[in-house]
Amino acid sequence: MSAKDVQAAERISTSTCSSPARGLGDPGITPLSPSHIASKDSDSNESEEQTFSIVVAIDFGTTSSGYAYSFAKEPECIHIMRRWEGGDPGVSNQKTPTTMLLMPDRKFHSFGFAARDFYHDLDPSESKHWLYFEKFKMKLHSSTDLTMETELTAANGKRVKALEIFAYALQYFKEQALKELSDQAGTEMDNSEVRWVITVPAIWKQPAKQFMRQAAYKAGMATPENPEQLIIALEPEGASIYCRKLRLHQMIDLSSKAAINGISPTDPAKDHVRRNRQSRTFLVENVIGELWSELEEGDRYVVVDCGGGTVDLTVHQIRLPEGHLKELYKASGGPYGSLGVDYEFEKLLCKIFGDDFIDTFKVKRPAAWVDLMIAFESRKRAAAPDRTNPLNITLPFSFIDYYKKFRGHSVEHALRKSNVDFVKWSSQGMLRMNPDAMNALFKSTIDHIIEHLTNLFQKPEVTGVKFLFLVGGFAESPLLQQAVQQAFGDQCRVIIPHDVGLTILKGAVLFGLDPALIKVRRSPLTYGVGVLNRYVEGKHPPEKLLLKDGTRWCTDVFDKFILADQSVALGEAVKRSYTPAKQSQLVIIIHIYSSEQDDVNFITDSGVRKCGTLKLDLTGVESTPVPSRREIQTVMQFGDTEIKATAIDVATSKNVKVNIDFLN
């Protein structure tokens, strides 16, 4: 930090909050002048790089989840998990729904199709005692104050700690994966041989990313003592890594094809894909794909990851010769996943049958409600821009029956009376929607995505983008594909990988095999510590003045280590040196703070939160002479989701370490 930066950090703030330093009588520290250095820490790799014989990646999605794995000795083979029992008509995929069932005593019962089907088959008088969870991942995105105590609500209204539910889910995947690996290897596989990778949305805030790591520890995948065994990967990064490997027959270039979904029936590539549909092993050739060979040093591309819950946008830049990735603009996006279409359908049902009925039905007949949404899901996937025939959605018998009891007249009567003229009743017990009505349900979600992308394309970091990769489950929607192509096809090439719903999973495996692929990320927050600076009259606010042993100090100064949106290399360490404000201090307490803003000056500014504390005992060893101005080095090291802070008393080599914590 230059002298100019130090002055900037001391700029006057109009903060009128009470001073924590003064209130707590903190044993303060003050910067040692010529120290501010940032370094690639030479000893950051002091622990020998661990080697794992297998990498298992888990894509824990809002609507569906799955895992894939690869053996380190044959990294070009990525195996997708075995087929799950169950499965829905009209939905062919390798993933399982992210649904969980707990028994009435809150013990784990089942996950995925098994949970859904068992719950569905329970008698309504019984099912109300069972705890059924779905789409619960969104809670981590939407909670503003996520902690280890945050709760989730089951379909029957009962509440359970979110950490338990997430840990149950991860434990389930861990057991399934280890069982499959053991069957395949013909010998019992031990967890210690596996490196786990869990993918999370890039736009999640730090607490949510840390929460996922804590849940994985609880599930027994790794331990806080051995955090390297688990990598938290960002979903679009996984997609980005996989897209680099794409051969031309493994993708659809919307820009060059007239047909939506892009492949004419005679296309040989389509046959190739069809033949391999049954195989669960994907060969990733150890080459850079043809598409990638068109990219030059410094070229930029956008990955748009459209999932069930969120849409994540990331801008990456290619760095040659190794082709490492650099994140150019901090991840953005929002809750614009395909769930938005489900909510619109629910709103439509409320309009026809009344909010009061739909709310009651969901609570009284939760399994039938799940059934109705499954029926909608398969029709939702059939929506396309040029569709002309209507889409039929089967209403469960208990819906028709319960409505008649609730209202005293038939479902058919409600439809006739509702003024919703694009949804009709068919005598086979179905809602018949004309295609425009179905497409209208997509409109607001797709508009959000296009609007967000439009804003992104106006940012200076995003000029000259060559490709836009559309990935994630929702990217299978022809309506979304068409909207993106129409809006951006003249600015860049819009590319969709085959098996687009598995793109992130495959990329996450590649990332686990070679974590050095991602070199530079953008820090989502500004980090620093609270310090005392010499008080300068006319420059510092009077309410920050603190007199200590005849010295005038300015309290609560936020001394920044790294700024929000600043590039940070993974594993990079930033060092600062401090000295006790008072020579006779026997203990030093360093509080670590974070903020989403980069222009904070004081730890009392709004939006600044404390996320860690280092407490260092300064009582010297008798034989060690202690200099009059002791140097306390503070180091912050930036990992995937973990940030480690260390304070070292240079004179005695005593040190303390802390992991920055956003959940407590």
Side-chain angles (χ1 to χ4, degrees), residues 131-319:
L131 289 81
Y132 180 76
F133 296 87
E134 60 177 358
K135 304 183 176 115
F136 49 86
K137 179 181 164 190
M138 277 306 275
K139 180 82 178 182
L140 297 198
H141 177 69
S142 53
S143 283
T144 44
D145 52 349
L146 183 68
T147 68
M148 305 288 256
E149 306 302 313
T150 297
E151 293 183 321
L152 296 173
T153 307
N156 63 1
K158 296 201 169 111
R159 297 170 71 83
V160 180
K161 272 191 192 170
L163 191 70
E164 288 183 20
I165 299 296
F166 279 84
Y168 274 145
L170 291 173
Q171 191 176 353
Y172 177 76
F173 276 114
K174 181 183 108 175
E175 285 165 8
Q176 290 292 321
L178 287 174
K179 187 171 181 327
E180 180 174 342
L181 287 165
S182 301
D183 291 351
Q184 198 159 346
T187 157
E188 197 66 27
M189 276 292 171
D190 189 49
N191 187 60
S192 63
E193 298 171 64
V194 179
R195 168 173 259 155
W196 298 94
V197 181
I198 300 174
T199 61
V200 301
I203 50 169
W204 269 12
K205 301 236 185 314
Q206 290 300 97
K209 294 174 184 170
Q210 185 191 335
F211 186 92
M212 226 28 175
R213 185 171 271 283
Q214 294 301 328
Y217 289 161
K218 193 172 164 71
M221 287 176 164
T223 60
E225 294 71 46
N226 186 18
E228 284 75 33
Q229 190 174 1
L230 168 70
I231 296 177
I232 302 286
L234 305 184
E235 286 164 8
E237 287 181 349
S240 193
I241 288 169
Y242 181 68
C243 289
R244 302 167 41 166
K245 299 268 189 187
L246 288 176
R247 309 303 301 260
L248 291 176
H249 63 72
Q250 294 169 311
M251 64 195 183
I252 301 160
D253 186 342
L254 288 187
S255 328
S256 62
K257 293 273 170 56
I260 202 78
N261 248 345
I263 290 196
S264 59
T266 54
D267 190 325
K270 189 74 166 180
D271 291 337
H272 168 84
V273 173
R274 205 175 278 136
R275 275 204 306 277
N276 284 344
R277 200 30 72 82
Q278 295 316 310
S279 150
R280 290 188 301 117
T281 301
F282 292 86
L283 279 176
V284 181
E285 294 160 71
N286 198 9
V287 294
I288 296 292
E290 287 98 334
L291 190 65
W292 217 256
S293 54
E294 294 178 29
L295 286 174
E296 291 153 19
E297 168 83 51
D299 276 349
R300 298 155 181 218
Y301 59 97
V302 178
V303 177
V304 183
D305 170 17
C306 309
T310 51
V311 168
D312 246 0
L313 314 176
T314 323
V315 187
H316 280 154
Q317 184 175 39
I318 192 82
R319 291 169 66 175

Side-chain angles (χ1 to χ4, degrees), residues 313-597:
L313 314 176
T314 323
V315 187
H316 280 154
Q317 184 175 39
I318 192 82
R319 291 169 66 175
L320 298 172
E322 312 87 354
H324 287 146
L325 307 184
K326 176 180 179 182
E327 188 182 348
L328 273 195
Y329 181 74
K330 67 173 181 215
S332 60
Y336 318 129
S338 58
L339 282 185
V341 184
D342 301 359
Y343 293 136
E344 291 298 320
F345 178 60
E346 195 177 317
K347 275 179 9 198
L348 178 67
L349 292 176
C350 289
K351 199 169 158 186
I352 299 169
F353 302 108
D355 293 339
D356 53 344
F357 168 70
I358 295 295
D359 288 345
T360 311
F361 181 73
K362 278 162 77 173
V363 174
K364 296 285 188 202
R365 298 282 184 274
W369 175 255
V370 169
D371 241 21
L372 174 56
M373 291 315 283
I374 292 168
F376 173 68
E377 179 68 31
S378 83
R379 303 328 298 143
K380 177 171 99 177
R381 287 167 184 262
D386 43 7
R387 191 183 171 105
T388 50
N389 50 335
L391 295 127
N392 293 325
I393 297 162
T394 311
L395 283 181
F397 171 74
S398 69
F399 185 98
I400 298 167
D401 183 51
Y402 197 78
Y403 184 77
K404 197 165 173 89
K405 286 184 185 138
F406 191 88
R407 286 270 190 259
H409 59 239
S410 71
V411 162
E412 193 178 350
H413 176 81
L415 273 159
R416 273 207 308 274
K417 215 179 70 193
S418 72
N419 302 330
V420 179
D421 49 358
F422 40 79
V423 181
K424 300 271 185 279
W425 177 246
S426 92
S427 52
Q428 288 98 25
M430 296 179 179
L431 291 180
R432 175 168 276 178
M433 290 180 81
N434 78 23
D436 292 348
M438 179 57 107
N439 296 2
L441 298 180
F442 281 78
K443 187 173 172 3
S444 88
T445 303
I446 289 179
D447 286 353
H448 267 304
I449 295 171
I450 299 298
E451 179 193 359
H452 214 96
L453 269 168
T454 305
N455 293 340
L456 182 72
F457 269 84
Q458 285 160 0
K459 301 269 188 290
E461 296 91 339
V462 188
T463 46
V465 161
K466 275 207 177 171
F467 298 107
L468 185 155
F469 290 105
L470 204 52
V471 302
F474 192 24
E476 291 169 6
S477 160
L479 292 165
L480 177 59
Q481 292 176 9
Q482 185 191 51
V484 171
Q485 174 60 21
Q486 283 174 349
F488 306 104
D490 56 344
Q491 296 176 53
C492 59
R493 281 168 64 189
V494 179
I495 305 279
I496 301 171
H498 283 308
D499 272 329
V500 61
L502 300 175
T503 307
I504 290 160
L505 204 43
K506 295 182 212 169
V509 173
L510 293 171
F511 185 32
L513 290 164
D514 182 7
L517 281 168
I518 303 279
K519 274 286 188 271
V520 179
R521 284 198 183 140
R522 298 267 160 179
S523 173
L525 298 168
T526 296
Y527 293 99
V529 298
V531 302
L532 299 170
N533 274 343
R534 292 294 169 112
Y535 188 82
V536 180
E537 202 66 57
K539 184 173 147 189
H540 290 142
E543 70 274 10
K544 295 288 180 198
L545 174 61
L546 175 70
L547 269 169
K548 218 173 184 180
D549 303 330
T551 308
R552 292 156 62 84
W553 297 103
C554 175
T555 65
D556 304 333
V557 175
F558 191 132
D559 191 17
K560 301 170 202 159
F561 275 60
I562 200 153
L563 302 179
D565 206 27
Q566 187 178 331
S567 289
V568 57
L570 288 191
E572 182 169 333
V574 180
K575 280 187 190 159
R576 295 270 186 279
S577 284
Y578 300 100
T579 190
K582 189 172 159 192
Q583 279 191 28
S584 55
Q585 276 173 223
L586 294 179
V587 67
I588 273 192
I589 295 177
I590 301 173
H591 292 302
I592 300 162
Y593 296 90
S594 66
S595 164
E596 289 184 19
Q597 267 37 65

